Amino acid sequence: MSAKLEHAVLSLLEENARIELDQIATMLDEDKEIIIQIVDELEKKGVIVKYGTLINWQKASTKKVAALIDVKVTPQRGHGFDAIAKRIYLFPEVRSVYLMSGSYDLSVALEVDSMEAVGKFVTEKLAPIDSVVSTMTHFVMKKYKEDGVILDEPEKDERLVITP
């Protein structure tokens, strides 16, 4: 299997996780069975980890609070940052954890129901971890673009233009 074909399949799935495999085959001018085999292998290797839906919570009837927490930690001997990152990413409210360069070591993304839930997470779960030295919490006020999708498109003005 060619790396170029794998990349093309991955790109199409990344753009639209609901795309049918026969549609991918048609778009790439390949046999459907080859596309099925590629996707199966990519899933088994852990390259394709999850199929998802991007939700614009700002427009949904139920709102979510997003926060980014910068965490400074003391790395653990023999484990570096990995063991601490694992303790953090196992909490259900954590959406992402990244090892960072710069002033802070880890960046933690949360999506919860309230600002109070963010505060409770930091004070009751994150700060008590022995290796955590300090945290800095940033609340996301508005999302303009996420995962390559513009979320804040201005609504079109449907009014008729009338000139005197």
Side-chain angles (χ1 to χ4, degrees), residues 5-21 24 27-28 35 38-39 42-43 47-55 98 145-150:
L5 183 56
E6 280 187 6
H7 184 269
V9 170
L10 288 170
S11 295
L12 290 170
L13 286 170
E14 183 178 41
E15 185 67 31
N16 178 5
R18 294 182 66 183
I19 192 169
E20 299 289 331
L21 297 182
I24 292 174
M27 293 171 76
L28 299 178
I35 300 301
I38 289 171
V39 171
L42 292 170
E43 288 173 347
V47 174
I48 297 175
V49 180
K50 177 183 173 186
Y51 297 90
T53 302
L54 176 62
I55 298 170
Y98 305 102
K145 185 175 184 178
E146 186 169 5
D147 289 338
V149 177
I150 297 171

PDB file of all heavy atoms in Angstrom, residues 5-21 24 27-28 35 38-39 42-43 47-55 98 145-150:
ATOM      1  N   LEU A   5      -1.467   7.020  -0.928  1.00  0.00           N
ATOM      2  CA  LEU A   5      -2.871   6.621  -0.878  1.00  0.00           C
ATOM      3  C   LEU A   5      -3.383   6.660   0.565  1.00  0.00           C
ATOM      4  O   LEU A   5      -4.489   7.147   0.820  1.00  0.00           O
ATOM      5  CB  LEU A   5      -3.067   5.230  -1.491  1.00  0.00           C
ATOM      6  CG  LEU A   5      -4.497   4.708  -1.569  1.00  0.00           C
ATOM      7  CD1 LEU A   5      -5.408   5.669  -2.326  1.00  0.00           C
ATOM      8  CD2 LEU A   5      -4.527   3.327  -2.217  1.00  0.00           C
ATOM      9  N   GLU A   6      -2.580   6.168   1.504  1.00  0.00           N
ATOM     10  CA  GLU A   6      -2.958   6.233   2.924  1.00  0.00           C
ATOM     11  C   GLU A   6      -3.201   7.679   3.339  1.00  0.00           C
ATOM     12  O   GLU A   6      -4.180   7.977   4.023  1.00  0.00           O
ATOM     13  CB  GLU A   6      -1.872   5.626   3.807  1.00  0.00           C
ATOM     14  CG  GLU A   6      -1.884   4.137   3.882  1.00  0.00           C
ATOM     15  CD  GLU A   6      -0.887   3.598   4.898  1.00  0.00           C
ATOM     16  OE1 GLU A   6      -0.260   4.392   5.633  1.00  0.00           O
ATOM     17  OE2 GLU A   6      -0.739   2.371   4.957  1.00  0.00           O
ATOM     18  N   HIS A   7      -2.293   8.566   2.939  1.00  0.00           N
ATOM     19  CA  HIS A   7      -2.430   9.977   3.293  1.00  0.00           C
ATOM     20  C   HIS A   7      -3.712  10.563   2.717  1.00  0.00           C
ATOM     21  O   HIS A   7      -4.419  11.326   3.385  1.00  0.00           O
ATOM     22  CB  HIS A   7      -1.206  10.766   2.810  1.00  0.00           C
ATOM     23  CG  HIS A   7      -1.229  12.194   3.223  1.00  0.00           C
ATOM     24  ND1 HIS A   7      -1.782  13.177   2.447  1.00  0.00           N
ATOM     25  CD2 HIS A   7      -0.777  12.804   4.352  1.00  0.00           C
ATOM     26  CE1 HIS A   7      -1.677  14.335   3.069  1.00  0.00           C
ATOM     27  NE2 HIS A   7      -1.067  14.130   4.221  1.00  0.00           N
ATOM     28  N   ALA A   8      -4.034  10.212   1.482  1.00  0.00           N
ATOM     29  CA  ALA A   8      -5.252  10.712   0.841  1.00  0.00           C
ATOM     30  C   ALA A   8      -6.494  10.226   1.587  1.00  0.00           C
ATOM     31  O   ALA A   8      -7.435  10.994   1.822  1.00  0.00           O
ATOM     32  CB  ALA A   8      -5.295  10.276  -0.620  1.00  0.00           C
ATOM     33  N   VAL A   9      -6.508   8.955   1.984  1.00  0.00           N
ATOM     34  CA  VAL A   9      -7.638   8.395   2.736  1.00  0.00           C
ATOM     35  C   VAL A   9      -7.760   9.115   4.084  1.00  0.00           C
ATOM     36  O   VAL A   9      -8.860   9.519   4.488  1.00  0.00           O
ATOM     37  CB  VAL A   9      -7.476   6.870   2.929  1.00  0.00           C
ATOM     38  CG1 VAL A   9      -8.508   6.336   3.914  1.00  0.00           C
ATOM     39  CG2 VAL A   9      -7.581   6.152   1.587  1.00  0.00           C
ATOM     40  N   LEU A  10      -6.645   9.276   4.778  1.00  0.00           N
ATOM     41  CA  LEU A  10      -6.660   9.956   6.082  1.00  0.00           C
ATOM     42  C   LEU A  10      -7.155  11.393   5.956  1.00  0.00           C
ATOM     43  O   LEU A  10      -7.937  11.869   6.790  1.00  0.00           O
ATOM     44  CB  LEU A  10      -5.270   9.930   6.716  1.00  0.00           C
ATOM     45  CG  LEU A  10      -4.810   8.574   7.229  1.00  0.00           C
ATOM     46  CD1 LEU A  10      -3.334   8.621   7.609  1.00  0.00           C
ATOM     47  CD2 LEU A  10      -5.654   8.107   8.400  1.00  0.00           C
ATOM     48  N   SER A  11      -6.729  12.079   4.931  1.00  0.00           N
ATOM     49  CA  SER A  11      -7.151  13.468   4.727  1.00  0.00           C
ATOM     50  C   SER A  11      -8.658  13.563   4.516  1.00  0.00           C
ATOM     51  O   SER A  11      -9.310  14.452   5.060  1.00  0.00           O
ATOM     52  CB  SER A  11      -6.416  14.088   3.538  1.00  0.00           C
ATOM     53  OG  SER A  11      -5.040  14.174   3.806  1.00  0.00           O
ATOM     54  N   LEU A  12      -9.208  12.651   3.721  1.00  0.00           N
ATOM     55  CA  LEU A  12     -10.648  12.654   3.483  1.00  0.00           C
ATOM     56  C   LEU A  12     -11.428  12.336   4.758  1.00  0.00           C
ATOM     57  O   LEU A  12     -12.448  12.963   5.043  1.00  0.00           O
ATOM     58  CB  LEU A  12     -11.008  11.676   2.369  1.00  0.00           C
ATOM     59  CG  LEU A  12     -10.563  12.100   0.957  1.00  0.00           C
ATOM     60  CD1 LEU A  12     -10.741  10.955  -0.023  1.00  0.00           C
ATOM     61  CD2 LEU A  12     -11.322  13.337   0.500  1.00  0.00           C
ATOM     62  N   LEU A  13     -10.945  11.369   5.523  1.00  0.00           N
ATOM     63  CA  LEU A  13     -11.625  11.019   6.774  1.00  0.00           C
ATOM     64  C   LEU A  13     -11.505  12.130   7.811  1.00  0.00           C
ATOM     65  O   LEU A  13     -12.427  12.365   8.594  1.00  0.00           O
ATOM     66  CB  LEU A  13     -11.063   9.718   7.345  1.00  0.00           C
ATOM     67  CG  LEU A  13     -11.491   8.446   6.620  1.00  0.00           C
ATOM     68  CD1 LEU A  13     -10.692   7.255   7.118  1.00  0.00           C
ATOM     69  CD2 LEU A  13     -12.984   8.203   6.783  1.00  0.00           C
ATOM     70  N   GLU A  14     -10.373  12.815   7.818  1.00  0.00           N
ATOM     71  CA  GLU A  14     -10.195  13.920   8.756  1.00  0.00           C
ATOM     72  C   GLU A  14     -11.158  15.053   8.439  1.00  0.00           C
ATOM     73  O   GLU A  14     -11.701  15.694   9.332  1.00  0.00           O
ATOM     74  CB  GLU A  14      -8.756  14.426   8.691  1.00  0.00           C
ATOM     75  CG  GLU A  14      -8.449  15.525   9.690  1.00  0.00           C
ATOM     76  CD  GLU A  14      -7.015  15.968   9.632  1.00  0.00           C
ATOM     77  OE1 GLU A  14      -6.447  16.096   8.521  1.00  0.00           O
ATOM     78  OE2 GLU A  14      -6.444  16.192  10.710  1.00  0.00           O
ATOM     79  N   GLU A  15     -11.391  15.275   7.159  1.00  0.00           N
ATOM     80  CA  GLU A  15     -12.304  16.333   6.727  1.00  0.00           C
ATOM     81  C   GLU A  15     -13.766  15.972   7.022  1.00  0.00           C
ATOM     82  O   GLU A  15     -14.567  16.825   7.373  1.00  0.00           O
ATOM     83  CB  GLU A  15     -12.117  16.585   5.229  1.00  0.00           C
ATOM     84  CG  GLU A  15     -12.922  17.730   4.683  1.00  0.00           C
ATOM     85  CD  GLU A  15     -12.490  19.083   5.218  1.00  0.00           C
ATOM     86  OE1 GLU A  15     -11.304  19.257   5.526  1.00  0.00           O
ATOM     87  OE2 GLU A  15     -13.368  19.965   5.348  1.00  0.00           O
ATOM     88  N   ASN A  16     -14.110  14.680   6.860  1.00  0.00           N
ATOM     89  CA  ASN A  16     -15.493  14.245   7.064  1.00  0.00           C
ATOM     90  C   ASN A  16     -15.488  12.796   7.544  1.00  0.00           C
ATOM     91  O   ASN A  16     -15.365  11.872   6.731  1.00  0.00           O
ATOM     92  CB  ASN A  16     -16.293  14.372   5.761  1.00  0.00           C
ATOM     93  CG  ASN A  16     -17.724  13.895   5.908  1.00  0.00           C
ATOM     94  OD1 ASN A  16     -18.178  13.550   6.994  1.00  0.00           O
ATOM     95  ND2 ASN A  16     -18.431  13.851   4.793  1.00  0.00           N
ATOM     96  N   ALA A  17     -15.646  12.596   8.833  1.00  0.00           N
ATOM     97  CA  ALA A  17     -15.600  11.248   9.410  1.00  0.00           C
ATOM     98  C   ALA A  17     -16.784  10.387   8.975  1.00  0.00           C
ATOM     99  O   ALA A  17     -16.728   9.168   9.099  1.00  0.00           O
ATOM    100  CB  ALA A  17     -15.558  11.334  10.938  1.00  0.00           C
ATOM    101  N   ARG A  18     -17.826  10.996   8.438  1.00  0.00           N
ATOM    102  CA  ARG A  18     -19.010  10.240   8.025  1.00  0.00           C
ATOM    103  C   ARG A  18     -18.985   9.841   6.552  1.00  0.00           C
ATOM    104  O   ARG A  18     -19.924   9.216   6.068  1.00  0.00           O
ATOM    105  CB  ARG A  18     -20.261  11.068   8.303  1.00  0.00           C
ATOM    106  CG  ARG A  18     -20.472  11.288   9.795  1.00  0.00           C
ATOM    107  CD  ARG A  18     -21.724  12.052  10.081  1.00  0.00           C
ATOM    108  NE  ARG A  18     -22.874  11.260   9.701  1.00  0.00           N
ATOM    109  CZ  ARG A  18     -24.124  11.682   9.773  1.00  0.00           C
ATOM    110  NH1 ARG A  18     -24.382  12.876  10.217  1.00  0.00           N
ATOM    111  NH2 ARG A  18     -25.115  10.898   9.404  1.00  0.00           N
ATOM    112  N   ILE A  19     -17.918  10.174   5.862  1.00  0.00           N
ATOM    113  CA  ILE A  19     -17.838   9.839   4.443  1.00  0.00           C
ATOM    114  C   ILE A  19     -17.841   8.316   4.277  1.00  0.00           C
ATOM    115  O   ILE A  19     -17.221   7.592   5.041  1.00  0.00           O
ATOM    116  CB  ILE A  19     -16.583  10.476   3.789  1.00  0.00           C
ATOM    117  CG1 ILE A  19     -16.656  10.380   2.272  1.00  0.00           C
ATOM    118  CG2 ILE A  19     -15.309   9.872   4.332  1.00  0.00           C
ATOM    119  CD1 ILE A  19     -15.589  11.218   1.565  1.00  0.00           C
ATOM    120  N   GLU A  20     -18.576   7.842   3.298  1.00  0.00           N
ATOM    121  CA  GLU A  20     -18.670   6.405   3.031  1.00  0.00           C
ATOM    122  C   GLU A  20     -17.398   5.929   2.336  1.00  0.00           C
ATOM    123  O   GLU A  20     -16.815   6.652   1.524  1.00  0.00           O
ATOM    124  CB  GLU A  20     -19.889   6.103   2.157  1.00  0.00           C
ATOM    125  CG  GLU A  20     -21.216   6.491   2.795  1.00  0.00           C
ATOM    126  CD  GLU A  20     -21.603   5.594   3.951  1.00  0.00           C
ATOM    127  OE1 GLU A  20     -21.206   4.410   3.953  1.00  0.00           O
ATOM    128  OE2 GLU A  20     -22.310   6.080   4.846  1.00  0.00           O
ATOM    129  N   LEU A  21     -16.995   4.693   2.643  1.00  0.00           N
ATOM    130  CA  LEU A  21     -15.771   4.160   2.046  1.00  0.00           C
ATOM    131  C   LEU A  21     -15.886   4.011   0.536  1.00  0.00           C
ATOM    132  O   LEU A  21     -14.903   4.205  -0.179  1.00  0.00           O
ATOM    133  CB  LEU A  21     -15.387   2.837   2.708  1.00  0.00           C
ATOM    134  CG  LEU A  21     -15.053   2.927   4.203  1.00  0.00           C
ATOM    135  CD1 LEU A  21     -14.635   1.568   4.741  1.00  0.00           C
ATOM    136  CD2 LEU A  21     -13.995   3.966   4.480  1.00  0.00           C
ATOM    137  N   ILE A  24     -15.068   7.339  -0.885  1.00  0.00           N
ATOM    138  CA  ILE A  24     -13.617   7.556  -0.889  1.00  0.00           C
ATOM    139  C   ILE A  24     -13.000   6.833  -2.074  1.00  0.00           C
ATOM    140  O   ILE A  24     -12.161   7.389  -2.786  1.00  0.00           O
ATOM    141  CB  ILE A  24     -12.978   7.076   0.438  1.00  0.00           C
ATOM    142  CG1 ILE A  24     -13.425   7.960   1.604  1.00  0.00           C
ATOM    143  CG2 ILE A  24     -11.454   7.073   0.337  1.00  0.00           C
ATOM    144  CD1 ILE A  24     -12.970   7.472   2.962  1.00  0.00           C
ATOM    145  N   MET A  27     -13.695   8.793  -5.197  1.00  0.00           N
ATOM    146  CA  MET A  27     -12.928  10.039  -5.239  1.00  0.00           C
ATOM    147  C   MET A  27     -11.454   9.799  -5.559  1.00  0.00           C
ATOM    148  O   MET A  27     -10.814  10.615  -6.219  1.00  0.00           O
ATOM    149  CB  MET A  27     -13.059  10.785  -3.907  1.00  0.00           C
ATOM    150  CG  MET A  27     -14.458  11.299  -3.636  1.00  0.00           C
ATOM    151  SD  MET A  27     -14.662  11.928  -1.968  1.00  0.00           S
ATOM    152  CE  MET A  27     -13.836  13.490  -2.104  1.00  0.00           C
ATOM    153  N   LEU A  28     -10.922   8.675  -5.074  1.00  0.00           N
ATOM    154  CA  LEU A  28      -9.511   8.375  -5.279  1.00  0.00           C
ATOM    155  C   LEU A  28      -9.275   7.435  -6.466  1.00  0.00           C
ATOM    156  O   LEU A  28      -8.146   7.026  -6.715  1.00  0.00           O
ATOM    157  CB  LEU A  28      -8.912   7.772  -4.006  1.00  0.00           C
ATOM    158  CG  LEU A  28      -8.959   8.676  -2.763  1.00  0.00           C
ATOM    159  CD1 LEU A  28      -8.384   7.952  -1.558  1.00  0.00           C
ATOM    160  CD2 LEU A  28      -8.209   9.983  -3.019  1.00  0.00           C
ATOM    161  N   ILE A  35      -9.645   0.304  -0.244  1.00  0.00           N
ATOM    162  CA  ILE A  35      -9.917   1.364   0.741  1.00  0.00           C
ATOM    163  C   ILE A  35     -10.312   0.746   2.075  1.00  0.00           C
ATOM    164  O   ILE A  35      -9.842   1.180   3.139  1.00  0.00           O
ATOM    165  CB  ILE A  35     -11.010   2.335   0.228  1.00  0.00           C
ATOM    166  CG1 ILE A  35     -10.581   2.996  -1.081  1.00  0.00           C
ATOM    167  CG2 ILE A  35     -11.359   3.369   1.295  1.00  0.00           C
ATOM    168  CD1 ILE A  35      -9.299   3.797  -1.020  1.00  0.00           C
ATOM    169  N   ILE A  38      -7.180  -0.554   3.703  1.00  0.00           N
ATOM    170  CA  ILE A  38      -6.360   0.547   4.228  1.00  0.00           C
ATOM    171  C   ILE A  38      -6.926   1.053   5.546  1.00  0.00           C
ATOM    172  O   ILE A  38      -6.195   1.213   6.535  1.00  0.00           O
ATOM    173  CB  ILE A  38      -6.268   1.697   3.195  1.00  0.00           C
ATOM    174  CG1 ILE A  38      -5.407   1.276   2.009  1.00  0.00           C
ATOM    175  CG2 ILE A  38      -5.721   2.969   3.834  1.00  0.00           C
ATOM    176  CD1 ILE A  38      -5.434   2.256   0.857  1.00  0.00           C
ATOM    177  N   VAL A  39      -8.215   1.303   5.593  1.00  0.00           N
ATOM    178  CA  VAL A  39      -8.848   1.825   6.812  1.00  0.00           C
ATOM    179  C   VAL A  39      -8.723   0.818   7.953  1.00  0.00           C
ATOM    180  O   VAL A  39      -8.391   1.185   9.083  1.00  0.00           O
ATOM    181  CB  VAL A  39     -10.315   2.225   6.550  1.00  0.00           C
ATOM    182  CG1 VAL A  39     -11.042   2.555   7.844  1.00  0.00           C
ATOM    183  CG2 VAL A  39     -10.376   3.409   5.588  1.00  0.00           C
ATOM    184  N   LEU A  42      -5.165   0.913   9.236  1.00  0.00           N
ATOM    185  CA  LEU A  42      -4.895   2.151   9.966  1.00  0.00           C
ATOM    186  C   LEU A  42      -5.561   2.147  11.342  1.00  0.00           C
ATOM    187  O   LEU A  42      -5.015   2.688  12.304  1.00  0.00           O
ATOM    188  CB  LEU A  42      -5.340   3.367   9.139  1.00  0.00           C
ATOM    189  CG  LEU A  42      -4.523   3.631   7.871  1.00  0.00           C
ATOM    190  CD1 LEU A  42      -5.197   4.699   7.008  1.00  0.00           C
ATOM    191  CD2 LEU A  42      -3.097   4.028   8.211  1.00  0.00           C
ATOM    192  N   GLU A  43      -6.726   1.533  11.440  1.00  0.00           N
ATOM    193  CA  GLU A  43      -7.385   1.402  12.742  1.00  0.00           C
ATOM    194  C   GLU A  43      -6.600   0.454  13.647  1.00  0.00           C
ATOM    195  O   GLU A  43      -6.392   0.741  14.827  1.00  0.00           O
ATOM    196  CB  GLU A  43      -8.825   0.901  12.561  1.00  0.00           C
ATOM    197  CG  GLU A  43      -9.758   1.936  11.977  1.00  0.00           C
ATOM    198  CD  GLU A  43     -11.141   1.391  11.645  1.00  0.00           C
ATOM    199  OE1 GLU A  43     -11.341   0.151  11.630  1.00  0.00           O
ATOM    200  OE2 GLU A  43     -12.029   2.220  11.402  1.00  0.00           O
ATOM    201  N   VAL A  47      -3.418   4.435  14.010  1.00  0.00           N
ATOM    202  CA  VAL A  47      -3.298   5.704  13.287  1.00  0.00           C
ATOM    203  C   VAL A  47      -4.659   6.407  13.310  1.00  0.00           C
ATOM    204  O   VAL A  47      -4.751   7.587  13.629  1.00  0.00           O
ATOM    205  CB  VAL A  47      -2.808   5.485  11.837  1.00  0.00           C
ATOM    206  CG1 VAL A  47      -2.820   6.786  11.047  1.00  0.00           C
ATOM    207  CG2 VAL A  47      -1.424   4.861  11.838  1.00  0.00           C
ATOM    208  N   ILE A  48      -5.707   5.675  12.976  1.00  0.00           N
ATOM    209  CA  ILE A  48      -7.074   6.188  13.142  1.00  0.00           C
ATOM    210  C   ILE A  48      -7.496   5.785  14.551  1.00  0.00           C
ATOM    211  O   ILE A  48      -7.649   4.604  14.850  1.00  0.00           O
ATOM    212  CB  ILE A  48      -8.041   5.609  12.095  1.00  0.00           C
ATOM    213  CG1 ILE A  48      -7.627   6.032  10.693  1.00  0.00           C
ATOM    214  CG2 ILE A  48      -9.485   6.068  12.393  1.00  0.00           C
ATOM    215  CD1 ILE A  48      -8.450   5.410   9.579  1.00  0.00           C
ATOM    216  N   VAL A  49      -7.665   6.775  15.396  1.00  0.00           N
ATOM    217  CA  VAL A  49      -7.945   6.517  16.808  1.00  0.00           C
ATOM    218  C   VAL A  49      -9.431   6.642  17.116  1.00  0.00           C
ATOM    219  O   VAL A  49      -9.967   5.894  17.921  1.00  0.00           O
ATOM    220  CB  VAL A  49      -7.149   7.517  17.693  1.00  0.00           C
ATOM    221  CG1 VAL A  49      -7.411   7.290  19.163  1.00  0.00           C
ATOM    222  CG2 VAL A  49      -5.662   7.408  17.392  1.00  0.00           C
ATOM    223  N   LYS A  50     -10.098   7.595  16.464  1.00  0.00           N
ATOM    224  CA  LYS A  50     -11.492   7.870  16.795  1.00  0.00           C
ATOM    225  C   LYS A  50     -12.139   8.616  15.630  1.00  0.00           C
ATOM    226  O   LYS A  50     -11.479   9.376  14.938  1.00  0.00           O
ATOM    227  CB  LYS A  50     -11.548   8.736  18.062  1.00  0.00           C
ATOM    228  CG  LYS A  50     -12.916   9.155  18.483  1.00  0.00           C
ATOM    229  CD  LYS A  50     -12.851  10.072  19.703  1.00  0.00           C
ATOM    230  CE  LYS A  50     -14.225  10.622  20.004  1.00  0.00           C
ATOM    231  NZ  LYS A  50     -14.204  11.605  21.065  1.00  0.00           N
ATOM    232  N   TYR A  51     -13.416   8.391  15.432  1.00  0.00           N
ATOM    233  CA  TYR A  51     -14.195   9.161  14.480  1.00  0.00           C
ATOM    234  C   TYR A  51     -15.040  10.115  15.303  1.00  0.00           C
ATOM    235  O   TYR A  51     -15.656   9.719  16.285  1.00  0.00           O
ATOM    236  CB  TYR A  51     -15.095   8.247  13.641  1.00  0.00           C
ATOM    237  CG  TYR A  51     -14.311   7.272  12.785  1.00  0.00           C
ATOM    238  CD1 TYR A  51     -13.966   6.018  13.263  1.00  0.00           C
ATOM    239  CD2 TYR A  51     -13.908   7.624  11.510  1.00  0.00           C
ATOM    240  CE1 TYR A  51     -13.237   5.130  12.483  1.00  0.00           C
ATOM    241  CE2 TYR A  51     -13.181   6.741  10.721  1.00  0.00           C
ATOM    242  CZ  TYR A  51     -12.850   5.500  11.212  1.00  0.00           C
ATOM    243  OH  TYR A  51     -12.136   4.631  10.435  1.00  0.00           O
ATOM    244  N   GLY A  52     -15.068  11.396  14.924  1.00  0.00           N
ATOM    245  CA  GLY A  52     -15.732  12.346  15.801  1.00  0.00           C
ATOM    246  C   GLY A  52     -16.630  13.346  15.104  1.00  0.00           C
ATOM    247  O   GLY A  52     -16.693  13.426  13.878  1.00  0.00           O
ATOM    248  N   THR A  53     -17.294  14.114  15.949  1.00  0.00           N
ATOM    249  CA  THR A  53     -18.174  15.180  15.518  1.00  0.00           C
ATOM    250  C   THR A  53     -17.737  16.460  16.214  1.00  0.00           C
ATOM    251  O   THR A  53     -17.497  16.454  17.416  1.00  0.00           O
ATOM    252  CB  THR A  53     -19.636  14.866  15.916  1.00  0.00           C
ATOM    253  OG1 THR A  53     -20.011  13.620  15.324  1.00  0.00           O
ATOM    254  CG2 THR A  53     -20.584  15.958  15.478  1.00  0.00           C
ATOM    255  N   LEU A  54     -17.622  17.541  15.483  1.00  0.00           N
ATOM    256  CA  LEU A  54     -17.288  18.835  16.061  1.00  0.00           C
ATOM    257  C   LEU A  54     -18.591  19.556  16.370  1.00  0.00           C
ATOM    258  O   LEU A  54     -19.411  19.766  15.469  1.00  0.00           O
ATOM    259  CB  LEU A  54     -16.436  19.653  15.086  1.00  0.00           C
ATOM    260  CG  LEU A  54     -16.086  21.065  15.526  1.00  0.00           C
ATOM    261  CD1 LEU A  54     -15.264  21.039  16.811  1.00  0.00           C
ATOM    262  CD2 LEU A  54     -15.321  21.780  14.430  1.00  0.00           C
ATOM    263  N   ILE A  55     -18.787  19.908  17.630  1.00  0.00           N
ATOM    264  CA  ILE A  55     -20.019  20.575  18.059  1.00  0.00           C
ATOM    265  C   ILE A  55     -19.695  22.011  18.431  1.00  0.00           C
ATOM    266  O   ILE A  55     -18.758  22.270  19.187  1.00  0.00           O
ATOM    267  CB  ILE A  55     -20.649  19.849  19.263  1.00  0.00           C
ATOM    268  CG1 ILE A  55     -21.037  18.427  18.854  1.00  0.00           C
ATOM    269  CG2 ILE A  55     -21.851  20.623  19.803  1.00  0.00           C
ATOM    270  CD1 ILE A  55     -21.447  17.543  19.989  1.00  0.00           C
ATOM    271  N   TYR A  98      -1.093  18.315  26.631  1.00  0.00           N
ATOM    272  CA  TYR A  98       0.054  18.489  25.751  1.00  0.00           C
ATOM    273  C   TYR A  98       1.300  18.796  26.580  1.00  0.00           C
ATOM    274  O   TYR A  98       1.241  19.583  27.523  1.00  0.00           O
ATOM    275  CB  TYR A  98      -0.167  19.663  24.787  1.00  0.00           C
ATOM    276  CG  TYR A  98      -1.424  19.560  23.968  1.00  0.00           C
ATOM    277  CD1 TYR A  98      -2.560  20.298  24.291  1.00  0.00           C
ATOM    278  CD2 TYR A  98      -1.480  18.732  22.855  1.00  0.00           C
ATOM    279  CE1 TYR A  98      -3.717  20.215  23.528  1.00  0.00           C
ATOM    280  CE2 TYR A  98      -2.635  18.646  22.087  1.00  0.00           C
ATOM    281  CZ  TYR A  98      -3.742  19.393  22.430  1.00  0.00           C
ATOM    282  OH  TYR A  98      -4.887  19.302  21.679  1.00  0.00           O
ATOM    283  N   LYS A 145     -12.507  29.390  15.603  1.00  0.00           N
ATOM    284  CA  LYS A 145     -12.175  28.313  14.677  1.00  0.00           C
ATOM    285  C   LYS A 145     -11.654  27.148  15.497  1.00  0.00           C
ATOM    286  O   LYS A 145     -10.872  27.331  16.426  1.00  0.00           O
ATOM    287  CB  LYS A 145     -11.095  28.792  13.690  1.00  0.00           C
ATOM    288  CG  LYS A 145     -10.755  27.803  12.601  1.00  0.00           C
ATOM    289  CD  LYS A 145      -9.778  28.425  11.619  1.00  0.00           C
ATOM    290  CE  LYS A 145      -9.486  27.507  10.468  1.00  0.00           C
ATOM    291  NZ  LYS A 145      -8.570  28.122   9.490  1.00  0.00           N
ATOM    292  N   GLU A 146     -12.106  25.939  15.157  1.00  0.00           N
ATOM    293  CA  GLU A 146     -11.655  24.743  15.865  1.00  0.00           C
ATOM    294  C   GLU A 146     -11.529  23.599  14.867  1.00  0.00           C
ATOM    295  O   GLU A 146     -12.417  23.402  14.034  1.00  0.00           O
ATOM    296  CB  GLU A 146     -12.637  24.373  16.979  1.00  0.00           C
ATOM    297  CG  GLU A 146     -12.155  23.243  17.834  1.00  0.00           C
ATOM    298  CD  GLU A 146     -12.987  23.033  19.090  1.00  0.00           C
ATOM    299  OE1 GLU A 146     -14.014  23.706  19.276  1.00  0.00           O
ATOM    300  OE2 GLU A 146     -12.607  22.181  19.891  1.00  0.00           O
ATOM    301  N   ASP A 147     -10.452  22.855  14.994  1.00  0.00           N
ATOM    302  CA  ASP A 147     -10.188  21.726  14.094  1.00  0.00           C
ATOM    303  C   ASP A 147     -10.322  22.120  12.623  1.00  0.00           C
ATOM    304  O   ASP A 147     -10.833  21.362  11.799  1.00  0.00           O
ATOM    305  CB  ASP A 147     -11.115  20.543  14.408  1.00  0.00           C
ATOM    306  CG  ASP A 147     -10.767  19.857  15.711  1.00  0.00           C
ATOM    307  OD1 ASP A 147      -9.606  19.991  16.154  1.00  0.00           O
ATOM    308  OD2 ASP A 147     -11.636  19.190  16.284  1.00  0.00           O
ATOM    309  N   GLY A 148      -9.893  23.330  12.301  1.00  0.00           N
ATOM    310  CA  GLY A 148      -9.923  23.790  10.916  1.00  0.00           C
ATOM    311  C   GLY A 148     -11.270  24.292  10.438  1.00  0.00           C
ATOM    312  O   GLY A 148     -11.430  24.650   9.277  1.00  0.00           O
ATOM    313  N   VAL A 149     -12.268  24.333  11.334  1.00  0.00           N
ATOM    314  CA  VAL A 149     -13.618  24.750  10.957  1.00  0.00           C
ATOM    315  C   VAL A 149     -13.919  26.106  11.588  1.00  0.00           C
ATOM    316  O   VAL A 149     -13.768  26.283  12.801  1.00  0.00           O
ATOM    317  CB  VAL A 149     -14.673  23.722  11.427  1.00  0.00           C
ATOM    318  CG1 VAL A 149     -16.083  24.187  11.094  1.00  0.00           C
ATOM    319  CG2 VAL A 149     -14.392  22.361  10.809  1.00  0.00           C
ATOM    320  N   ILE A 150     -14.348  27.064  10.767  1.00  0.00           N
ATOM    321  CA  ILE A 150     -14.731  28.384  11.278  1.00  0.00           C
ATOM    322  C   ILE A 150     -16.093  28.257  11.940  1.00  0.00           C
ATOM    323  O   ILE A 150     -17.061  27.811  11.328  1.00  0.00           O
ATOM    324  CB  ILE A 150     -14.760  29.424  10.141  1.00  0.00           C
ATOM    325  CG1 ILE A 150     -13.356  29.578   9.550  1.00  0.00           C
ATOM    326  CG2 ILE A 150     -15.291  30.759  10.649  1.00  0.00           C
ATOM    327  CD1 ILE A 150     -13.300  30.405   8.278  1.00  0.00           C
TER     328      ILE A 150
END
